[in-house]
Coordinates of all heavy atoms in Angstrom, one line a residue:
Y1 N 15.8 86.4 -9.0 CA 14.5 85.9 -9.5 C 13.5 86.3 -8.5 O 13.6 86.2 -7.2 CB 14.5 84.3 -9.5 CG 13.2 83.6 -9.8 CD1 12.9 83.4 -11.1 CD2 12.3 83.4 -8.9 CE1 11.6 82.8 -11.4 CE2 11.1 82.7 -9.1 CZ 10.7 82.5 -10.4 OH 9.6 82.0 -10.8
V2 N 12.2 86.8 -9.1 CA 11.1 87.2 -8.2 C 9.9 86.7 -8.9 O 9.7 86.8 -10.1 CB 11.0 88.8 -8.1 CG1 9.9 89.0 -7.2 CG2 12.3 89.3 -7.5
A3 N 9.0 86.1 -8.1 CA 7.7 85.6 -8.7 C 6.6 85.6 -7.6 O 6.9 85.5 -6.4 CB 7.8 84.3 -9.3
I4 N 5.4 86.0 -8.1 CA 4.3 85.8 -7.1 C 3.2 85.0 -7.8 O 2.9 85.2 -9.0 CB 3.6 87.3 -6.9 CG1 4.7 88.3 -6.4 CG2 2.5 87.2 -5.8 CD1 4.2 89.7 -6.3
T5 N 2.7 84.1 -7.0 CA 1.6 83.2 -7.6 C 0.7 82.7 -6.4 O 1.0 83.0 -5.3 CB 2.2 82.0 -8.4 OG1 1.2 81.4 -9.0 CG2 2.9 81.1 -7.5
L6 N -0.2 81.9 -6.8 CA -1.1 81.4 -5.8 C -0.7 80.0 -5.3 O -0.5 79.1 -6.1 CB -2.5 81.4 -6.3 CG -3.6 80.5 -5.3 CD1 -3.8 81.4 -4.1 CD2 -4.9 80.5 -6.0
D7 N -0.5 79.8 -4.0 CA -0.2 78.5 -3.5 C -1.5 77.8 -3.0 O -2.0 78.2 -1.9 CB 0.8 78.7 -2.3 CG 1.3 77.3 -1.7 OD1 0.6 76.2 -2.0 OD2 2.2 77.2 -1.0
R8 N -2.0 77.0 -3.8 CA -3.4 76.5 -3.6 C -3.4 75.6 -2.2 O -4.5 75.5 -1.5 CB -3.8 75.6 -4.7 CG -4.1 76.4 -6.0 CD -4.7 75.6 -7.1 NE -4.7 76.4 -8.3 CZ -5.7 77.3 -8.6 NH1 -6.8 77.3 -7.8 NH2 -5.8 77.9 -9.8
S9 N -2.2 75.0 -1.9 CA -2.2 74.1 -0.7 C -2.4 75.0 0.6 O -2.8 74.4 1.6 CB -0.9 73.4 -0.6 OG 0.2 74.3 -0.5
K10 N -2.1 76.3 0.5 CA -2.2 77.1 1.7 C -3.3 78.2 1.5 O -3.6 78.9 2.4 CB -0.9 77.9 1.9 CG 0.3 76.9 2.3 CD 1.5 77.7 2.7 CE 2.7 76.8 3.1 NZ 2.5 76.3 4.5
N11 N -3.9 78.2 0.4 CA -4.9 79.2 0.1 C -4.4 80.6 0.2 O -5.2 81.5 0.7 CB -6.2 79.0 0.8 CG -6.9 77.7 0.5 OD1 -7.0 77.3 -0.7 ND2 -7.4 77.0 1.5
Q12 N -3.2 80.8 -0.1 CA -2.5 82.2 0.0 C -1.6 82.3 -1.1 O -1.1 81.5 -1.7 CB -1.8 82.2 1.4 CG -2.6 82.3 2.6 CD -1.7 82.4 3.9 OE1 -0.6 82.2 3.8 NE2 -2.4 82.8 5.0
D13 N -1.3 83.7 -1.5 CA -0.4 84.0 -2.4 C 1.0 83.8 -1.8 O 1.2 84.1 -0.6 CB -0.6 85.5 -2.9 CG -1.8 85.8 -3.6 OD1 -2.2 84.9 -4.5 OD2 -2.5 86.8 -3.4
V14 N 1.9 83.4 -2.7 CA 3.3 83.2 -2.3 C 4.2 84.0 -3.1 O 4.0 84.1 -4.3 CB 3.7 81.7 -2.3 CG1 3.6 81.1 -3.8 CG2 5.1 81.5 -1.7
I15 N 5.2 84.8 -2.4 CA 6.1 85.5 -3.1 C 7.5 84.8 -3.0 O 7.9 84.4 -1.8 CB 6.3 86.9 -2.5 CG1 5.0 87.7 -2.5 CG2 7.3 87.7 -3.4 CD1 5.0 89.1 -2.0
M16 N 8.1 84.5 -4.1 CA 9.4 83.7 -4.1 C 10.4 84.6 -4.7 O 10.3 85.2 -5.7 CB 9.2 82.4 -4.9 CG 8.1 81.5 -4.4 SD 7.9 80.1 -5.6 CE 7.0 80.8 -6.9
V17 N 11.6 84.5 -4.0 CA 12.8 85.3 -4.6 C 14.0 84.3 -4.4 O 14.0 83.5 -3.6 CB 13.1 86.6 -3.8 CG1 11.9 87.5 -3.9 CG2 13.4 86.4 -2.4
S18 N 15.0 84.6 -5.3 CA 16.2 83.8 -5.2 C 17.3 84.7 -5.7 O 17.2 85.5 -6.6 CB 16.0 82.6 -6.1 OG 17.3 81.9 -6.1
T19 N 18.5 84.4 -5.3 CA 19.7 85.0 -5.9 C 20.2 84.4 -7.2 O 21.1 84.9 -7.8 CB 20.9 84.8 -4.9 OG1 21.1 83.4 -4.5 CG2 20.7 85.6 -3.6
E20 N 19.5 83.2 -7.5 CA 19.9 82.5 -8.7 C 18.9 83.0 -9.9 O 18.2 82.2 -10.4 CB 19.8 81.1 -8.5 CG 20.6 80.6 -7.3 CD 22.1 80.9 -7.5 OE1 22.7 80.5 -8.5 OE2 22.6 81.6 -6.6
G21 N 19.0 84.3 -10.3 CA 18.1 84.8 -11.3 C 18.7 84.4 -12.6 O 19.9 84.1 -12.8
G22 N 17.9 84.5 -13.7 CA 18.3 84.2 -15.1 C 18.5 82.7 -15.3 O 18.9 82.3 -16.5
M23 N 18.0 81.8 -14.4 CA 18.1 80.4 -14.6 C 16.8 79.8 -14.5 O 15.7 80.5 -14.2 CB 19.0 79.7 -13.5 CG 20.5 80.2 -13.4 SD 21.3 79.6 -12.0 CE 21.2 77.8 -12.3
D24 N 16.6 78.5 -14.8 CA 15.4 77.9 -14.7 C 15.2 77.6 -13.2 O 15.8 76.9 -12.5 CB 15.4 76.5 -15.4 CG 15.5 76.6 -16.9 OD1 15.1 77.6 -17.4 OD2 16.1 75.7 -17.5
I25 N 14.1 78.3 -12.7 CA 13.8 78.2 -11.3 C 13.4 76.8 -10.8 O 13.7 76.4 -9.6 CB 12.7 79.2 -10.9 CG1 12.7 79.4 -9.3 CG2 11.3 78.7 -11.3 CD1 13.9 80.1 -8.8
E26 N 12.9 76.0 -11.7 CA 12.6 74.6 -11.4 C 13.9 73.9 -11.1 O 14.0 73.0 -10.3 CB 11.9 73.9 -12.6 CG 10.5 74.5 -12.8 CD 10.5 75.7 -13.7 OE1 11.6 76.1 -14.1 OE2 9.4 76.2 -14.0
K27 N 14.9 74.1 -11.8 CA 16.3 73.5 -11.6 C 16.8 74.0 -10.2 O 17.4 73.2 -9.5 CB 17.3 73.9 -12.8 CG 18.6 73.1 -12.7 CD 19.4 73.5 -13.8 CE 20.7 72.6 -13.8 NZ 21.6 73.0 -14.9
V28 N 16.7 75.2 -9.9 CA 17.1 75.8 -8.6 C 16.4 75.0 -7.5 O 17.0 74.6 -6.5 CB 17.0 77.3 -8.6 CG1 17.4 77.8 -7.2 CG2 17.8 78.0 -9.6
A29 N 15.1 75.0 -7.7 CA 14.3 74.3 -6.7 C 14.6 72.8 -6.4 O 14.6 72.3 -5.3 CB 12.7 74.5 -7.0
E30 N 15.0 72.2 -7.5 CA 15.4 70.8 -7.4 C 16.8 70.5 -6.8 O 17.0 69.6 -5.9 CB 15.3 70.1 -8.8 CG 15.6 68.7 -8.8 CD 15.6 68.1 -10.2 OE1 15.0 68.7 -11.0 OE2 16.1 66.9 -10.4
E31 N 17.7 71.4 -7.2 CA 19.1 71.1 -6.8 C 19.6 71.9 -5.6 O 20.3 71.4 -4.8 CB 20.1 71.5 -8.0 CG 19.8 70.6 -9.2 CD 20.7 71.0 -10.4 OE1 21.6 72.0 -10.3 OE2 20.6 70.3 -11.5
T32 N 19.1 73.3 -5.5 CA 19.5 74.0 -4.3 C 18.3 74.7 -3.7 O 18.2 76.0 -3.8 CB 20.6 75.1 -4.7 OG1 20.1 75.8 -5.9 CG2 21.9 74.3 -5.0
P33 N 17.3 74.0 -3.2 CA 16.1 74.6 -2.7 C 16.3 75.7 -1.6 O 15.4 76.6 -1.4 CB 15.2 73.5 -2.2 CG 16.3 72.4 -1.9 CD 17.3 72.6 -2.9
E34 N 17.4 75.6 -0.9 CA 17.7 76.6 0.1 C 17.9 78.0 -0.4 O 17.9 79.0 0.4 CB 18.9 76.1 0.9 CG 20.2 76.1 0.2 CD 20.6 74.9 -0.6 OE1 19.7 74.1 -0.8 OE2 21.7 74.9 -1.2
K35 N 18.1 78.1 -1.8 CA 18.4 79.4 -2.3 C 17.1 80.1 -2.8 O 17.2 81.1 -3.3 CB 19.3 79.2 -3.6 CG 20.8 78.7 -3.2 CD 21.6 78.7 -4.4 CE 23.1 78.4 -3.9 NZ 24.0 78.4 -5.1
I36 N 15.9 79.5 -2.5 CA 14.7 80.1 -2.7 C 14.1 80.5 -1.4 O 13.9 79.7 -0.5 CB 13.8 79.2 -3.5 CG1 14.3 78.8 -4.8 CG2 12.4 79.8 -3.7 CD1 13.5 77.8 -5.6
I37 N 13.8 81.9 -1.3 CA 13.2 82.4 -0.1 C 11.7 82.6 -0.4 O 11.3 83.2 -1.4 CB 13.8 83.7 0.3 CG1 15.3 83.5 0.5 CG2 13.1 84.3 1.5 CD1 16.1 84.8 0.6
K38 N 10.7 82.2 0.4 CA 9.3 82.3 0.2 C 8.7 83.0 1.4 O 9.0 82.8 2.6 CB 8.6 81.0 0.1 CG 9.3 80.2 -1.1 CD 8.5 78.8 -1.2 CE 9.0 77.9 -2.3 NZ 8.4 76.7 -2.4

């Protein structure tokens, strides 16, 4: 999984990647947040 978006809390763009591609990233963030690299 790869995504780029704006993190308004930091006023910077954030790039997020994960080995858990093809899944709902929201579910990954909730259950295994350590698998998301930012």
Side-chain angles (χ1 to χ4, degrees):
Y1 175 89
V2 182
I4 311 175
T5 190
L6 173 64
D7 184 342
R8 296 183 184 277
S9 67
K10 294 181 180 288
N11 293 321
Q12 293 182 339
D13 294 317
V14 58
I15 305 178
M16 300 175 286
V17 301
S18 175
T19 55
E20 306 303 300
M23 298 177 61
D24 294 330
I25 196 63
E26 294 83 0
K27 187 176 181 181
V28 177
E30 182 180 343
E31 297 179 358
T32 53
E34 69 279 3
K35 292 185 177 180
I36 299 177
I37 302 165
K38 299 179 182 180

